[in-house]
Amino acid sequence: MFIVVANWKMNGDVAFARAYAQALENFSPSGAEIVILPPYPLLTAIQGNFKLGAQNCYWAEKGAYTSQVSPYLLKSLGCDYVLLGHSERREAGETSASVMKKAEAAHKAGLKTIICAGEKAGEDFKKITFAQLDNSVPASADKTNTIIAYEPVWAIGTGETPTIAQIEERHEAVVEKYGFPTIYGGSVKLENAAEISKLKNVNGLLVGGASLDVEGFKKIIQNCHPVE
Ligand code: PGA
């Protein structure tokens, strides 16, 4: 199963979410798992023919943690997935240690985790990505509840991507070391999605900016290998 994730980041409103869900009605290409990650408040505004996930969560089940969101609440809202350790969160102070606690709590609540890692411009891919993953992936992770998202930070929202050979080589290294399904993120768009999706150890795509146009997002999915 090839997984295509739409990370809306802090975009969209209720009308946008409803129209998006409507545009995905009757859209179910075989071989694709579609996951939509809207901002928290829109989780109730978008339901349909796809899986739902959140862009973050907290590690506690409940309690006096103003502004935080429990993985149990996400589960009760119909979420199957939660994204953790996105570089935009790491940049704002999220540590690998907190990602690990959150991932463990998410697994306990029955959510699948998409754990992000990747190097910044000029950093060593292996050293940084492996260090982040070593410290972010909890012992509760297995092939059924964990997906790794390799996202070179310098490729996010910039229109730049590693070369196809680099993506292939890096995914192979991640899959070889961790054994989890691994998806690629960072400036995925219609023009490059098909080529990236064909690579052996690329098990899916994490799409940010290009997912906001639902018709374009549908085309990306349709163009993915092996999705028909
Ligand atoms: P982008 O974002 O597709 O806009 O580069 C990807 C992401 O941050 O998940």
Side-chain angles (χ1 to χ4, degrees):
M1 182 66 82
F2 197 79
I3 173 168
V4 190
V5 184
N7 178 13
W8 291 5
K9 309 195 179 186
M10 199 180 73
N11 294 293
D13 57 15
V14 172
F16 175 88
R18 290 193 178 136
Y20 202 99
Q22 208 161 31
L24 286 176
E25 240 175 46
N26 306 319
F27 180 75
S28 49
S30 64
E33 167 119 314
I34 303 169
V35 183
I36 311 293
L37 311 178
Y40 288 136
L42 294 180
L43 287 167
T44 53
I46 176 161
Q47 304 282 341
N49 206 10
F50 42 78
K51 303 280 190 208
L52 205 52
Q55 298 171 16
N56 199 358
C57 72
Y58 197 56
W59 56 71
E61 191 179 333
K62 61 179 177 177
Y65 304 101
T66 302
S67 92
Q68 300 290 3
V69 175
S70 148
Y72 290 90
L73 171 58
L74 296 177
K75 188 71 187 169
S76 76
L77 286 169
C79 286
D80 283 305
Y81 286 89
V82 62
L83 184 77
L84 294 170
H86 189 280
S87 71
E88 285 153 16
R89 300 314 320 146
R90 291 184 186 269
E91 196 58 34
E94 178 94 86
T95 62
S96 291
S98 73
V99 172
M100 187 182 277
K101 282 168 77 174
K102 290 175 175 187
E104 201 173 7
H107 292 153
K108 237 183 178 170
L111 293 171
K112 293 181 186 175
T113 51
I114 303 170
I115 300 178
C116 305
E119 80 288 354
K120 290 185 189 156
E123 288 181 341
D124 183 75
F125 148 70
K126 221 175 227 178
K127 190 165 156 242
I128 300 298
T129 307
F130 285 8
Q132 285 179 351
L133 291 172
D134 285 347
N135 295 301
S136 300
V137 178
S140 56
D142 62 38
K143 277 184 194 167
T144 65
N145 66 16
T146 300
I147 290 167
I148 289 173
Y150 170 58
E151 295 202 293
V153 179
W154 54 271
I156 295 175
T158 60
E160 312 264 313
T161 60
T163 64
I164 289 297
Q166 280 170 330
I167 296 175
E168 184 159 44
E169 193 181 292
R170 290 170 185 195
H171 274 252
E172 189 182 344
V174 172
V175 171
E176 202 170 274
K177 180 157 160 68
Y178 297 95
F180 298 111
T182 301
I183 66 176
Y184 172 80
S187 293
V188 172
K189 48 187 179 240
L190 192 53
E191 294 73 24
N192 59 22
E195 197 176 9
I196 297 172
S197 72
K198 277 193 196 112
L199 302 173
K200 187 162 167 254
N201 290 301
V202 173
N203 305 111
L205 299 172
L206 177 46
V207 190
S211 73
L212 294 174
D213 165 23
V214 69
E215 294 306 326
F217 182 59
K218 282 158 75 175
K219 280 194 195 121
I220 287 177
I221 297 166
Q222 279 164 327
N223 276 8
C224 283
H225 176 88
V227 180
E228 284 133 27

